[in-house]
Amino acid sequence: MADSPDKRERRGSKRRARSRRHNPDGTMTLIEHIYEFRRRLGFALLALVAGGIVGFLWFSNRVGPIPSLGDLVTGPYCAIPPEQRFPKEPPCRLLQTVPFEAFMIQLKVGLTAGAVLFAPAWLYQLWAFIAPGLYSKERKYALTFVGFASVLFAFGVVLAYLMVPHALELLTNFGGGAFDTWFTGDKYVSFVVSLLLIFGVSFELPLLVVMLNRVGVVRYEQLKKWRRGIIFILFVFAAFVTPADPFSMIALAGALTLLFEFALQLTRLHDRKRDRHRAEEGWDQLADDEAAPFDYTPTSVDDEPRAKQSGNAGTDDVT
């Protein structure tokens, strides 16, 4: 059954409301915001479902030279010397103790990997929803933040993946040879994924320090005074969140210390540039009770561009 002209007109008006050519500033009513959120959320969920399907299939299949996701997950366990794990002879396998445990592990790992692989798709939907409400400078900062956060998270995950075999080898050495190590699939995957997430999230520390400095919450002089205490806290944090082995703790604490020192130097350069700019503008010479040299003359409605007035005429914009 063909749609009526009224329905086609309503769909056309909705598309024009989302179009940058017809609506350059992205203004929408409240109900239009709700519809837009529903549409973006639907596309994001479709991207996550597609990524989960790809990850589920990738778990047991190689993609050219890229090993299967199952081989990547079990790689750290299989790197343990054969005399310390069970079964000692190949192939290296995890233990399934309840029905459907292997299926649920494959589903969870596949969904996680798919969400990472298809992150640009669902992150774009989130960005497309919030970007019209930001100024151009705010959009630039947001894109920079997301870009650096993704890179730092990836570095943290890679470092954790390289540390997992050493951590497992050390942990399985306890017991004086009285035990064979045979991990259940659920416990082992939870251990690996948790360690990857801990390293990835922890690597966002320097970005957080830089952003707090950019908005004026902390300055380089304060961070310099707190340096020893912050480094001590980083080592304590690494000792609590990593397994009971020195390799993971030292790797995480050392990496966080280096990243913090790098962020500290960035704050020093930023504060120096900001202080120089304030000195050139004469802000530092103002008394506490002296008004800043702003132009406080308010603009009237008549000063607004006529095109903007005519374009907003008759628009019920509650946002």
Side-chain angles (χ1 to χ4, degrees):
M1 181 177 179
D3 292 337
S4 63
D6 292 339
K7 290 185 178 180
R8 289 195 297 268
E9 179 62 26
R10 283 196 297 269
R11 285 200 298 266
S13 63
K14 291 179 181 179
R15 285 194 295 268
R16 286 193 296 271
R18 295 191 297 261
S19 174
R20 280 296 183 184
R21 183 165 61 89
H22 295 89
N23 189 11
D25 56 352
T27 56
M28 288 184 288
T29 63
L30 178 59
I31 192 64
E32 288 173 342
H33 274 295
I34 295 175
Y35 287 149
E36 178 70 4
F37 174 76
R38 184 183 64 180
R39 190 173 71 94
R40 296 295 180 183
L41 180 61
F43 287 147
L45 291 177
L46 286 177
L48 291 175
V49 170
I53 295 174
V54 172
F56 186 86
L57 297 176
W58 180 26
F59 190 92
S60 54
N61 298 281
R62 296 176 60 92
V63 183
I66 303 175
S68 67
L69 192 58
D71 292 338
L72 291 175
V73 172
T74 58
Y77 170 69
C78 295
I80 300 175
E83 61 272 11
Q84 296 179 222
R85 58 175 169 82
F86 188 85
K88 302 184 186 308
E89 66 279 354
C92 173
R93 294 177 179 176
L94 297 173
L95 179 64
Q96 179 180 214
T97 58
V98 295
F100 299 108
E101 183 177 359
F103 172 80
M104 293 305 299
I105 291 174
Q106 182 173 350
L107 181 62
K108 289 190 292 187
V109 175
L111 286 173
T112 304
V116 174
L117 290 175
F118 281 65
W122 57 266
L123 283 176
Y124 169 77
Q125 300 300 325
L126 175 63
W127 175 252
F129 178 72
I130 66 175
L134 301 176
Y135 293 106
S136 58
K137 185 177 181 180
E138 293 172 338
R139 286 196 291 267
K140 181 186 70 173
Y141 279 132
L143 286 175
T144 303
F145 180 85
V146 172
F148 279 104
S150 302
V151 173
L152 289 173
F153 185 85
F155 277 137
V157 169
V158 171
L159 179 62
Y161 187 80
L162 296 176
M163 289 296 106
V164 168
H166 302 285
L168 291 176
E169 183 177 355
L170 181 63
L171 293 174
T172 54
N173 273 327
F174 293 102
F179 301 94
D180 278 334
T181 300
W182 197 358
F183 292 121
T184 62
D186 183 60
K187 297 292 181 62
Y188 170 77
V189 170
S190 298
F191 168 79
V192 173
V193 172
S194 299
L195 198 61
L196 297 182
L197 290 177
I198 288 171
F199 270 71
V201 174
S202 300
F203 267 51
E204 307 298 332
L205 169 68
L207 188 61
L208 177 63
V209 172
V210 172
M211 295 303 294
L212 290 176
N213 175 254
R214 289 279 178 175
V215 298
V217 176
V218 294
R219 288 181 57 83
Y220 168 74
E221 289 79 8
Q222 294 173 315
L223 294 172
K224 185 178 179 181
K225 293 179 182 178
W226 302 339
R227 174 186 282 164
R228 293 183 180 180
I230 291 176
I231 293 177
F232 175 76
I233 293 174
L234 292 179
F235 273 84
V236 173
F237 170 78
F240 271 100
V241 300
T242 56
D245 71 285
F247 290 106
S248 300
M249 188 200 76
I250 294 175
L252 180 59
L256 291 179
T257 301
L258 292 176
L259 291 172
F260 172 73
E261 288 292 337
F262 179 71
L264 191 64
Q265 298 307 313
L266 291 180
T267 60
R268 182 175 67 88
L269 295 176
H270 177 258
D271 286 350
R272 181 183 299 177
K273 180 180 178 181
R274 182 168 56 185
D275 292 342
R276 185 169 58 250
H277 178 70
R278 287 173 61 89
E280 293 174 355
E281 295 291 336
W283 295 90
D284 294 334
Q285 285 72 33
L286 294 175
D288 294 338
D289 57 350
E290 185 178 355
F294 290 130
D295 183 11
Y296 293 101
T297 305
T299 59
S300 62
V301 178
D302 296 334
D303 296 333
E304 296 294 330
R306 294 182 178 274
K308 185 176 180 179
Q309 293 180 12
S310 61
N312 292 335
T315 302
D316 182 19
D317 185 7
V318 298
T319 60

